[in-house]
Amino acid sequence: MSTNAELKLDGKTYSLPVVEGTEQERAIDVTTLRNQTGHITLDDGYANTGSCYSKITFIDGERGILRYRGIPIEELAEKSTFIEVAYLLIQGRLPNRAELRNFSELLTRNQLLHEDLKFHFEGFPSNAHPMAILSSMINAASCFYPELLLDPKTQFEIEAARLISQVRTIAAFSYRKSRGLPIIYPKPAYKYTANFLHMMFSDPYQDYELNPEAVRALDLIFLLHADHEQNCSTATVRMVASSRANVFASAAAGVCALWGPLHGGANQAVLEMLDQIHREGDDGSKFIQAAKDKQSGKRLMGFGHRVYKNYDPRAKIIKRACDDLLGKLHRGDPLLDIAKHLEQAVLSDAYFVERKLYPNVDFYSGIIMRAIGIPVEMFTVMFAIGRMPGWIANYREVMEDPHSRIYRPRQIYTGDGLRHYVPLEERP
Ligand code: ACO
């Protein structure tokens, strides 16, 4: 098998090395292309561009495979927890009992926000989107721990624990603030996801009654979102990290990238779409027609993926969990019926089949969150809480790579050629 690719250009032949990953994905290394040929590669949307080597997550989009540090997502979903997976992603291996306990305790010790940080919540209008609050507050949190930023190498474990633990506290506080409700502090005795629900829904005079099925379902959502290789937000985190910005700033940038409806914002958009279909009394057929019409500006939210050209393995797990939870809560949801109908219709529709558009992770997750009582505007925040360990693991990989350089893509300029400044009085 050749280990070089040959490029013929302007009558010359250039040799470019072919590199191979552990799962036999192959890439043409173009690092020397510009020096050799004066040309750059052009890949709008980076669909064919490998931006890094990474040991964290493997995806085979054609076969519908997702593995964190080599372990299939199906096994982790069945046997693990979000916090154990966070450790796995960041440290590269599953923790033993003592390591897991220590990690858990570190998270608990770092779950409280600096008291002064609370006042920052006052500056946001009550209708501010929680993703705006989340990114601002994560960035602001870094100001309260300057000692971490001075020595990020030795303090990394604490920085990571602060981020994982506090993203959840900030999220719950922002929800309480948006509803004019008093802030509820975390309880050290509760585990990660139970504590989040406690901070969201307890009252100062009465604790929220935790339902173990709901806790498990939300923990699963966090776990399934924990990493997904070089998606838009993770690539953003790596981009910011490559400039040697601190981990809080890098994660805050990740939150901003995640917010968009084509990425993490899709889970909110799915629920809004299902709700609209329900209110209009449609079974989804009209919406499917509109989604196929490019002029309509509509897309079937929760369908399609840049990498998966097969069923998103997370969507399969979430769909099962959704049926399971609603069954255990003895609750039906007309939006779940619409979602199932949409899925059936779309999977046999030529437009979607030809384009290999399958349900993605966001298609059913919103129905679970709705059943738990999480308001729709908080859905993308749930995704951010889940994705935090993945962002941190990717941040670490950039920082610990001795060959890491600042990310700085090039472009093909298509603007005006040289022209000269015209003084204001001479302009038409
Ligand atoms: N509904 C209708 N048509 C679609 C959809 C959709 N959801 N997704 C893609 N298409 C069509 C496109 O119009 C295009 O058609 P064409 O070839 O006739 O022009 C073709 O399928 C390919 O689509 P692209 O936009 O080129 O695919 P890309 O890889 O750039 O985008 C994306 C992937 C953003 C996920 C897209 O499928 C989409 O917008 N989906 C809906 C939003 C969504 O669910 N996002 C969540 C993604 S998962 C995540 O971030 C966790």
Side-chain angles (χ1 to χ4, degrees), residues 262-263 266 294 299-304 306 351 355 360 362:
L262 297 190
H263 189 14
K294 299 272 187 306
R299 281 193 165 194
L300 196 58
M301 301 313 285
F303 265 78
R306 171 62 61 79
Y351 173 96
R355 290 169 180 75
N360 59 47
D362 294 316

Side-chain angles (χ1 to χ4, degrees), residues 176-187:
R176 304 285 301 181
K177 163 85 179 70
S178 73
R179 299 289 159 110
L181 297 167
I183 278 172
I184 302 293
Y185 285 83
K187 275 194 183 194

Side-chain angles (χ1 to χ4, degrees), residues 225 228 231 258 261-264 266-267 270 291-292 294 298-307 309 312 314 351-352 355 357 360-362 383 387:
H225 285 86
H228 211 237
N231 56 84
L258 187 71
L262 297 190
H263 189 14
N267 56 13
V270 168
K292 293 196 284 188
K294 299 272 187 306
K298 288 190 175 167
R299 281 193 165 194
L300 196 58
M301 301 313 285
F303 265 78
H305 198 278
R306 171 62 61 79
V307 179
K309 301 303 169 199
D312 179 338
R314 302 166 300 172
Y351 173 96
F352 293 90
R355 290 169 180 75
L357 301 169
N360 59 47
V361 67
D362 294 316
F383 193 154
R387 185 54 54 87

Side-chain angles (χ1 to χ4, degrees), residues 330-393:
H330 306 292
R331 202 179 293 168
D333 186 339
L335 300 198
L336 178 62
D337 301 335
I338 292 174
K340 283 184 174 167
H341 177 78
L342 271 181
E343 184 187 341
Q344 279 316 313
V346 161
L347 290 180
S348 55
D349 185 304
Y351 173 96
F352 293 90
V353 174
E354 276 160 22
R355 290 169 180 75
K356 301 194 166 104
L357 301 169
Y358 292 89
N360 59 47
V361 67
D362 294 316
F363 195 60
Y364 286 103
S365 62
I367 297 172
I368 297 188
M369 292 193 269
R370 188 170 127 104
I372 297 171
I374 300 195
V376 73
E377 72 276 11
M378 289 291 288
F379 284 8
T380 315
V381 173
M382 301 300 104
F383 193 154
I385 295 175
R387 185 54 54 87
M388 191 56 78
W391 288 338
I392 294 169

Side-chain angles (χ1 to χ4, degrees), residues 8 12 17 32 54 151 233 246 266 271 318 408:
K8 289 198 167 66
K12 284 191 184 161
T32 61
S54 180
D151 189 4
S233 56
N246 70 66
L271 232 277
I318 284 205
R408 202 315 188 173

Side-chain angles (χ1 to χ4, degrees), residues 82-83 164-165 167-168 190-196 222 385:
F82 172 60
I83 290 308
I164 293 172
S165 210
V167 66
R168 171 195 59 164
Y190 281 173
K191 297 226 178 285
Y192 189 89
T193 303
N195 223 340
F196 173 68
F222 291 154
I385 295 175

